[in-house]
Amino acid sequence: MSMGITMSIWWWPTDGTGRSRILFFLNQSQARFNVARPLGHDHCTSYACELADLDGDGDLDIAVGNDNAPSRVFLNDGKAGFQQAITFGTQADSTIDVAVVDLNDDGRSDLILANRDDQPNTILLAEAPPAGSDPMVRFRPPVSFGSAHSSRAIATADFDRDGHVDWGIGNIGVPNRVFFGDGNGGVKSETAFGRSDGQTFCIAVANTDQQNRIFVNQASRKANQ
């Protein structure tokens, strides 16, 4: 039977501690998702995952952001097998959202991490691994951006139309912010949006007025703006 790699994510408590394992579901055609496989062997509190071809081999890998545990990239073997994984971050990290995007136009997938617990948000730029190394995914040390707050969400777009990736961050207790990328993996400027006492848990970007302008929409416990 031919199987696609369309996925859905489910958190599954397994050990009575409130921690979970991630399951991914294979689409067996006709929208039937009755084959489930665990992702990794850790029992972590995972808040985010992002699908992208991080190792450049033509299939989708999975970046997972964990709370109070190192985050991981699970590499796809081309048959929806994810036995090989690399770790990024530390045991103390509280990563709530992950974005995968090329920030410095080198053709490699970089990571933007939104962290809570007053930890700074960070950028991890991908770099070329040594020749012949396995796996073919490697990141430079994390670089902080903005101020340390409790962040919950990331959305990316080219807001200022300069050809470089920018990103919006949804925060708790402080205004949300848009960071304008400099095309080299850094931040050239930033601006605030939303309430100063907002509690934003999700943001999305879209061209909503058909005039090639990108708007940011936020979902918040306070009034949405």
Side-chain angles (χ1 to χ4, degrees):
M1 178 181 294
S2 175
M3 293 187 182
I5 57 171
T6 303
M7 298 182 188
S8 174
I9 301 299
W10 181 34
W11 285 259
W12 175 30
T14 58
D15 58 3
T17 66
R19 292 174 177 255
S20 311
R21 294 184 69 182
I22 295 178
L23 299 180
F24 67 92
F25 294 80
L26 294 172
N27 184 351
Q28 294 186 280
S29 77
Q30 298 181 348
R32 292 185 297 118
F33 297 90
N34 54 1
V35 174
R37 297 178 184 173
L39 187 64
H41 303 288
D42 298 329
H43 293 247
C44 300
T45 302
S46 301
Y47 282 98
C49 71
E50 187 78 8
L51 304 183
D53 182 9
L54 284 103
D55 56 3
D57 65 354
D59 50 42
L60 291 175
D61 310 304
I62 307 177
V64 176
N66 292 324
D67 186 20
N68 292 315
S71 298
R72 301 191 187 279
V73 169
F74 294 91
L75 299 176
N76 191 344
D77 63 7
K79 300 178 181 179
F82 296 90
Q83 298 304 310
Q84 190 173 27
I86 65 168
T87 298
F88 61 93
T90 71
Q91 187 70 34
D93 289 350
S94 297
T95 299
I96 303 300
D97 201 7
V98 178
V100 181
V101 67
D102 184 2
L103 291 172
N104 55 358
D105 301 322
D106 65 352
R108 299 186 180 92
S109 295
D110 309 307
L111 304 180
I112 307 173
L113 308 184
N115 300 317
R116 69 176 183 181
D117 299 333
D118 293 324
Q119 296 179 4
N121 299 322
T122 55
I123 292 169
L124 286 83
L125 294 178
E127 62 181 359
S133 67
D134 187 33
M136 297 295 290
V137 177
R138 183 171 173 174
F139 297 102
R140 301 177 194 173
V143 176
S144 301
F145 66 90
S147 302
H149 297 298
S150 186
S151 298
R152 290 295 193 275
I154 308 171
T156 63
D158 182 7
F159 294 108
D160 56 3
R161 303 184 189 177
D162 66 350
H164 304 310
V165 176
D166 313 309
W167 56 98
I169 298 289
N171 293 317
I172 303 296
V174 296
N176 304 318
R177 303 199 77 82
V178 170
F179 295 89
F180 299 96
D182 61 8
N184 296 310
V187 176
K188 68 178 181 181
S189 63
E190 61 183 271
T191 188
F193 71 95
R195 296 171 55 123
S196 61
D197 61 347
Q199 298 183 28
T200 299
F201 289 86
C202 180
I203 56 176
V205 296
N207 176 12
T208 57
D209 67 352
Q210 303 301 315
Q211 296 188 28
N212 296 318
R213 294 186 296 176
I214 298 175
F215 289 80
V216 181
N217 302 290
Q218 69 178 42
S220 174
R221 284 182 179 172
K222 303 288 184 179
N224 294 339
Q225 300 177 357

